[in-house]
Amino acid sequence: MRSDAMKKGVKRAPHRSLLKALGLTNDEIKRPIIGIAGSFNEIIPGHMHLRTIMEAVKAGVRLAGGVPMEFNTIGVCDGLAMNHDGMKASLPTREIIADSIEATGIGMPFDGIVFIPNCDKIVPGMLIGAARLNVPSIFVSGGAMLAGRVNNKKIGLSNVFEDVGKYENGKITDTELEEVENNACPTCGSCSGMYTANTMNCLTEALGMGMPGNGTIPAVYSERIRLAKEVGMQILNLVKEDIRPKDIMTRAAFLNAVAVDMALGGSTNTALHLTAIANYTGVEFSLDDFEVMSHKVPHLCLLSPAGPDFMEDLYHAGGVTAVMKELAENGVLNTTAMTVALKTQAELIENARIKNERVIRKFNAPVHKTGGLAILKGNLAKDGSVVKEGAVSKEMLVHSGPAKVYNSEEDAVDAILHKEIEKGDVIVIRYEGPKGGPGMREMLTPTSSIAGMGLDKDVALITDGRFSGATRGASIGHISPEAAEGGVIAAVENGDIIEIDIPNRKISLKVDDKIIKERLKKLPKFKVETEYSFLKRYSENVTSADKGAVFKK
Ligand SMILES: CC(C)(O)[C@@H](O)C(=O)O
Ligand SMILES: [Mg+2]
């Protein structure tokens, strides 16, 4: 047993003393010790109920003869951190979460670990931590928030962000805005659309690290408590069989995750997170895999913010296993991939079926023929950029227009709300990359303001920052290399023509190469501006978005 290091033999009498101080009996000390990595806090609506999930997991561990030991990690709410300096800390917390998991798992030789994440950075942070420790592990997330309702129409957090733009444009009253504010987030759980948290929880299932239902069972359903119990019991089987994260998170598993991402129309943040997790798992995997998969797998689900459905609709339509079955039947899923259920994906999806073909479309009748995400390259993004093609209106798939350049999110939002943006413009928001921001903020306020002001069919936005899963429109992010690294985005001037061709995967600055080089040469050397030592250290150590914004080796 791995835990023998802290409990077996004469020399460990002091250690056993401490275990007894924790209330463990001699019998318990002999059993497998299971770390329960929780992330309960009173900050994130998606995490406020995680004590209930935690208790169910612990009950499952005990039912199966193990001894649970709870510990917790940090997390921030991206929604609450949005559009201010707080968001600069969000992506960096992923590395802290991974480090805190790794450090705890090194210090405490657990025999296995159950991970309980839910929101944006906690899921990839924990997956990275699990990969680095490579101790038998299993995930159960907190589940999705139910959708809200106004005028008998389902709404989610993205509607509130967009309604701010509508309000500023005089299209709705303050009473209408307040009604949306009061009803958009009716329960605990990760915000109700196919935003980042829910995408990552669905991909945890596709990766094989979570059990069926992990991605879609609503947070408030008792089924999630039962799932948590099953997961608590299952970790003992994983310990017994000695199946570890690196046995599961193989290249085939990552390709399955990207395939599901394409079908679901997932968050652009998966381009960062899957790449980062693969990096720490030692699997060869890059943005090129997204690009290849986007041509193999069609977009099957039109969930918020791209369409009218929410996570609860995906759940009732059959969930991730039904989507995976459709992909398997069309030859784009590796069904031999092993999972934490100790069954292959083929076995897990055997009884799955699509229960609502409007919510999960058939492979031959998709929403879009190509996958939800597209990787664009060109002189503006030599190393790549990402767009949620599934949420771009068809008028904007090919667009060419003059640049309006801003060196921060705040400046861009001021310009949008002060109606300085004209139809046809390409808004450029730069120095918001991993190094430049620092911290690669999410640009949900600018993208929602554009949508809310009714400009989403006329205006594009490009940035070296990133987006929320709730972002829609021609919003192209993760431009790599970023401005702070001397990327071509730093050379753009107001009025330059930018050409975007999403179907052909191109993004270019229509300025002569020589002029671009001259402009870049004249730029002052980038110096990070932050009062926080943590963010300064982050800026110095982080790699480019196309590499997942992991730390330099
Ligand atoms: C606040 C949101 C919706 O969670 C966003 O941060 C995302 O990435 O989806
Ligand atoms: Mg987010």
Side-chain angles (χ1 to χ4, degrees):
M1 274 197 209
R2 188 172 181 260
S3 60
D4 283 349
M6 66 170 170
K7 68 184 193 190
K8 205 175 165 188
V10 180
K11 281 204 263 234
R12 295 295 178 256
H15 304 60
R16 285 192 297 275
S17 252
L18 291 166
L19 292 173
K20 285 173 184 176
L22 288 170
L24 298 195
T25 64
N26 277 328
D27 174 60
E28 282 180 297
I29 291 171
K30 286 191 196 114
R31 292 167 184 256
I33 308 273
I34 306 299
I36 318 287
S39 52
F40 163 79
N41 66 41
E42 292 182 336
I43 314 167
I44 315 179
H47 288 230
M48 60 190 276
H49 63 303
L50 292 189
R51 272 185 180 148
T52 307
I53 305 293
M54 171 75 81
E55 287 311 315
V57 167
K58 292 200 295 201
V61 167
R62 289 200 182 95
L63 276 168
V67 176
M69 269 192 183
E70 172 183 338
F71 66 99
N72 276 269
T73 191
I74 62 153
V76 300
C77 171
D78 273 17
L80 291 169
M82 198 70 69
N83 192 228
H84 55 87
D85 270 356
M87 184 54 90
K88 295 188 177 180
S90 169
L91 184 60
T93 64
R94 188 190 70 188
E95 312 319 285
I96 296 183
I97 293 161
D99 284 351
S100 71
I101 296 288
E102 191 180 15
T104 310
I106 295 169
M108 301 290 106
F110 301 121
D111 295 297
I113 305 179
V114 180
F115 291 90
I116 313 174
N118 209 26
C119 285
D120 297 18
K121 304 313 164 307
I122 299 90
V123 187
M126 284 187 168
L127 283 164
I128 291 168
R132 290 203 210 139
L133 278 175
N134 206 32
V135 171
S137 297
I138 186 168
F139 279 64
V140 57
S141 74
M145 182 187 282
L146 293 180
R149 263 168 217 268
V150 165
N151 298 329
N152 220 15
K153 215 181 123 233
K154 282 197 205 112
I155 57 163
L157 185 66
S158 60
N159 300 85
V160 198
F161 272 98
E162 292 190 13
D163 279 5
V164 174
K166 282 189 191 161
Y167 177 79
E168 299 279 0
N169 215 15
K171 286 193 188 142
I172 56 170
T173 63
D174 38 16
T175 324
E176 284 170 313
L177 181 61
E178 198 186 338
E179 201 186 352
V180 169
E181 175 187 316
N182 288 342
N183 290 291
C185 299
T187 70
C188 62
S190 40
C191 291
S192 54
M194 189 47 80
Y195 312 148
T196 307
N198 293 323
T199 310
M200 287 307 299
N201 289 322
C202 288
L203 299 197
T204 301
E205 233 180 291
L207 268 175
M209 291 301 291
M211 304 269 268
N214 180 70
T216 60
I217 300 169
V220 293
Y221 281 20
S222 303
E223 188 183 354
R224 189 158 284 277
I225 297 175
R226 300 197 296 272
L227 174 71
K229 272 188 199 150
E230 305 267 1
V231 163
M233 292 167 76
Q234 183 63 5
I235 187 64
L236 275 302
N237 295 327
L238 286 158
V239 170
K240 200 157 128 227
E241 301 296 326
D242 196 25
I243 298 294
R244 297 163 183 247
K246 284 185 185 168
D247 301 323
I248 290 169
M249 288 194 275
T250 59
R251 179 162 165 81
F254 281 96
L255 294 182
N256 283 347
V258 183
V260 170
D261 198 6
M262 292 297 164
L264 294 177
S267 163
T268 45
N269 283 307
T270 57
L272 282 174
H273 299 325
L274 286 180
T275 315
I277 302 159
N279 173 77
Y280 291 114
T281 312
V283 165
E284 211 173 294
F285 179 81
S286 73
L287 286 187
D288 294 340
D289 292 306
F290 281 83
E291 169 53 13
V292 171
M293 200 60 81
S294 74
H295 296 285
K296 285 191 191 165
V297 179
H299 181 200
L300 302 181
C301 306
L302 205 53
L303 271 72
S304 171
D309 294 321
F310 285 83
M311 292 306 292
E312 61 202 64
D313 301 302
L314 181 60
Y315 164 76
H316 290 295
V320 174
T321 43
V323 174
M324 289 177 86
K325 183 148 195 191
E326 187 62 14
L327 299 185
E329 283 173 356
N330 287 279
V332 292
L333 197 85
N334 186 325
T335 54
T336 64
M338 187 36 79
T339 72
V340 289
L342 291 171
K343 289 181 179 160
T344 61
Q345 290 289 8
E347 290 171 279
L348 289 188
I349 63 179
E350 200 184 327
N351 297 320
R353 66 182 175 87
I354 299 177
K355 297 175 203 163
N356 182 336
E357 289 184 14
R358 189 191 60 75
V359 177
I360 304 174
R361 308 274 180 97
K362 298 290 278 182
F363 201 89
N364 56 14
V367 186
H368 299 106
K369 285 203 183 74
T370 49
L373 296 179
I375 305 299
L376 312 187
K377 287 191 177 172
N379 69 344
L380 246 177
K382 180 169 64 67
D383 297 330
S385 62
V386 59
V387 58
K388 195 189 248 197
E389 182 177 10
V392 180
S393 61
K394 58 181 186 311
E395 296 87 341
M396 291 303 291
L397 289 172
V398 179
H399 179 82
S400 166
K404 282 228 166 91
V405 186
Y406 304 95
N407 287 338
S408 74
E409 178 192 356
E410 285 79 1
D411 289 353
V413 170
D414 279 351
I416 297 165
L417 294 179
H418 289 118
K419 305 199 173 129
E420 284 165 26
I421 304 300
E422 287 158 276
K423 288 188 174 178
D425 283 350
V426 178
I427 301 170
V428 178
I429 309 179
R430 64 188 178 193
Y431 295 101
E432 288 284 4
K435 184 186 179 77
M440 203 182 182
R441 285 193 289 182
E442 255 173 30
M443 303 291 153
L444 182 57
T445 298
T447 61
S448 307
S449 306
I450 293 169
M453 296 184 83
L455 286 169
D456 55 303
K457 290 184 172 64
D458 303 287
V459 168
L461 186 154
I462 73 164
T463 181
D464 53 9
R466 59 192 181 94
F467 297 117
S468 157
T471 288
R472 63 186 179 95
S475 309
I476 298 152
H478 307 199
I479 298 262
S480 305
E482 61 175 295
E485 292 276 21
V488 169
I489 189 172
V492 183
E493 290 182 1
N494 282 327
D496 287 349
I497 298 298
I498 292 175
E499 248 177 43
I500 296 160
D501 184 347
I502 298 175
N504 287 306
R505 310 299 197 230
K506 287 217 167 69
I507 178 159
S508 11
L509 176 67
K510 295 298 189 196
V511 171
D512 194 76
D513 266 359
K514 253 176 52 202
I515 298 177
I516 294 177
K517 273 199 196 112
E518 276 164 25
R519 286 187 192 169
L520 286 175
K521 236 193 263 158
K522 275 192 216 136
L523 290 175
K525 200 174 155 14
F526 172 77
K527 217 176 145 278
V528 62
E529 274 169 47
T530 173
E531 59 189 289
Y532 300 109
S533 70
F534 156 59
L535 289 178
K536 191 162 174 292
R537 235 181 315 130
Y538 182 81
S539 174
E540 285 162 358
N541 288 297
V542 74
T543 58
S544 177
D546 68 290
K547 301 281 181 296
V550 297
F551 282 152
K552 287 176 195 151
K553 285 233 167 79

